[in-house]
Amino acid sequence: MRAPLILALGLAFGASAWAHNCPNEMKAIDAKLATKPQMSKENMDKVMALRKSGEDHHKAGKHTESMKDLGEAKKMLGL
């Protein structure tokens, strides 16, 4: 009986920690964008769209989708 409770608590806290990382990812992207990285307009537009999508997903509570989009944006920026 104790093991399922511990597992449930671990998953709840793990999801919470994941959710709180979205703003840190957005800050990292914003900091890199502030340096005006050299990239094509097409790629810059895609990074900006991914950044916005990540923020929108975060606000909607869809943290897995948010982290996916933010991770792709970071990859394109070389982070």
Side-chain angles (χ1 to χ4, degrees), residues 22-23 25-30 33 43-63 65-74 76-77:
C22 299
E25 298 294 302
M26 289 184 270
K27 285 179 189 175
I29 292 167
D30 293 342
L33 290 172
N43 283 344
M44 182 60 77
D45 290 346
K46 185 169 182 177
V47 167
M48 297 299 289
L50 287 165
R51 163 62 173 84
K52 176 150 180 19
S53 176
E55 183 173 4
D56 292 344
H57 284 311
H58 172 71
K59 288 179 179 178
K62 298 176 180 177
H63 302 292
E65 292 91 339
S66 175
M67 291 299 290
K68 180 179 176 253
D69 289 345
L70 296 172
E72 188 173 340
K74 284 180 68 177
M76 290 181 72
L77 290 168

Side-chain angles (χ1 to χ4, degrees), residues 7-34:
L7 178 62
L9 288 173
L11 290 174
F13 285 117
S16 175
W18 185 259
H20 292 292
N21 200 39
C22 299
N24 292 331
E25 298 294 302
M26 289 184 270
K27 285 179 189 175
I29 292 167
D30 293 342
K32 182 67 174 185
L33 290 172

